[in-house]
Amino acid sequence: MGLVILIIIWLITLISTYFFIAKTWWLPVGASAAAAGIDHYFTITFILMGIVFVAAQGILGYFAWKYRDRGASSVAHYSHGNNRLEIAWTVLTFILFVGLNLMSSSIWASERFRPAQPGAVQVEVTGMQFQWYFRYPGPDGKFGATKPELIDPSTGGEGAVGLDSSDPASKDDLVTGTMYLPVGRETEVILRAHDVIHSFFIPAMRFKQDAVPGLAIHMHFTPISTGDYEIACAELCGLGHYKMHGMLKVVSQQEFDAWLAAREAEKQ
Ligand SMILES: [Cu+2]
């Protein structure tokens, strides 16, 4: 029986490790400036945790076999454990956990604690059950006022974010259901939520941040290759959570300008 358990544990370990080494289910290609750095630390973490996982499962299987039932001749005796070993692996785990955090925290902080560059493209992202809306400030570069009492999700677009049309700055604001961005330019995202906590997640940009009602969270990222990228909600936000996704289209600066101009013309 001990041998059977050893084989089962080692088989499960080998098969599950294979899927990670073969990258059977893996991340999409990174399409933002920070993606390479994030993937680097992701890989380091995975390798270190992989070694710990294989070693622990290997030993587990071996012990299941070594201390197998040998009939009446083998007497089990109680052990209180080994304090030195317990302290050693607790300290090692602590060093690993804190060390990985310290090494990668500058990448995490660079998207949050440093303000966006002055020329960054500004997009206000609003999450609501179960849709993302994107607002661009228009040629004046200023977002118009929004008011909670004007919010009407059934109208979609401007009504859904509660745009106050009496504010002159709101006249040229654009609200869209698809996010367009020019390639190679920093994008400042201003994240909002109307009802519950949502999480704005663009896997290809390695970008994920909660959108919290009552807060306007500023973050930034730089898309580095054109294409269509999926946006998901990464927070279980209600019954329609599974279909709360959007599209990010990263295009050239010319295409972006043309798209903005066309939306502005439609609005007039
Ligand atoms: Cu959501």
Side-chain angles (χ1 to χ4, degrees), residues 127-132 196-199 233-238 241 244:
M128 62 189 77
Q129 290 169 324
F130 298 95
Q131 172 83 38
W132 294 107
V196 296
I197 298 174
H198 298 275
S199 179
C233 179
E235 187 78 59
L236 185 57
C237 58
H241 163 70
M244 186 169 170

Side-chain angles (χ1 to χ4, degrees), residues 158 163 170-174 262-268:
E158 291 175 9
L163 193 66
S170 77
K171 292 277 185 280
D172 61 351
D173 282 17
L174 292 174
R263 296 287 88 73
E264 288 292 345
E266 263 171 27
K267 205 185 148 148
Q268 300 315 316

Side-chain angles (χ1 to χ4, degrees), residues 167-249:
D167 179 9
S170 77
K171 292 277 185 280
D172 61 351
D173 282 17
L174 292 174
V175 180
T176 64
T178 300
M179 189 183 200
Y180 273 75
L181 289 178
V183 69
R185 265 181 74 191
E186 193 167 86
T187 300
E188 179 175 22
V189 169
I190 301 143
L191 268 174
R192 292 172 182 278
H194 278 177
D195 33 41
V196 296
I197 298 174
H198 298 275
S199 179
F200 187 61
F201 183 29
I202 319 175
M205 300 293 150
R206 306 291 188 267
F207 186 92
K208 188 195 264 177
Q209 171 62 45
D210 277 6
V212 183
L215 293 182
I217 297 170
H218 290 248
M219 271 182 66
H220 46 85
F221 67 96
T222 307
I224 54 168
S225 46
T226 56
D228 294 356
Y229 305 104
E230 197 184 4
I231 299 168
C233 179
E235 187 78 59
L236 185 57
C237 58
L239 278 178
H241 163 70
Y242 69 94
K243 60 175 180 176
M244 186 169 170
H245 73 103
M247 219 49 193
L248 162 61
K249 288 176 180 286

Side-chain angles (χ1 to χ4, degrees), residues 103-160:
M103 283 198 301
S104 57
S105 60
S106 65
I107 294 184
W108 186 88
S110 69
E111 288 186 334
R112 290 168 169 83
F113 298 151
R114 168 180 75 76
Q117 287 159 12
V121 182
Q122 281 190 311
V123 188
E124 183 195 75
V125 177
T126 305
M128 62 189 77
Q129 290 169 324
F130 298 95
Q131 172 83 38
W132 294 107
Y133 286 105
F134 308 97
R135 182 156 71 118
Y136 296 81
D140 67 352
K142 263 188 241 159
F143 286 109
T146 53
K147 287 185 175 160
E149 59 269 31
L150 295 174
I151 293 173
D152 180 4
S154 65
T155 62
E158 291 175 9

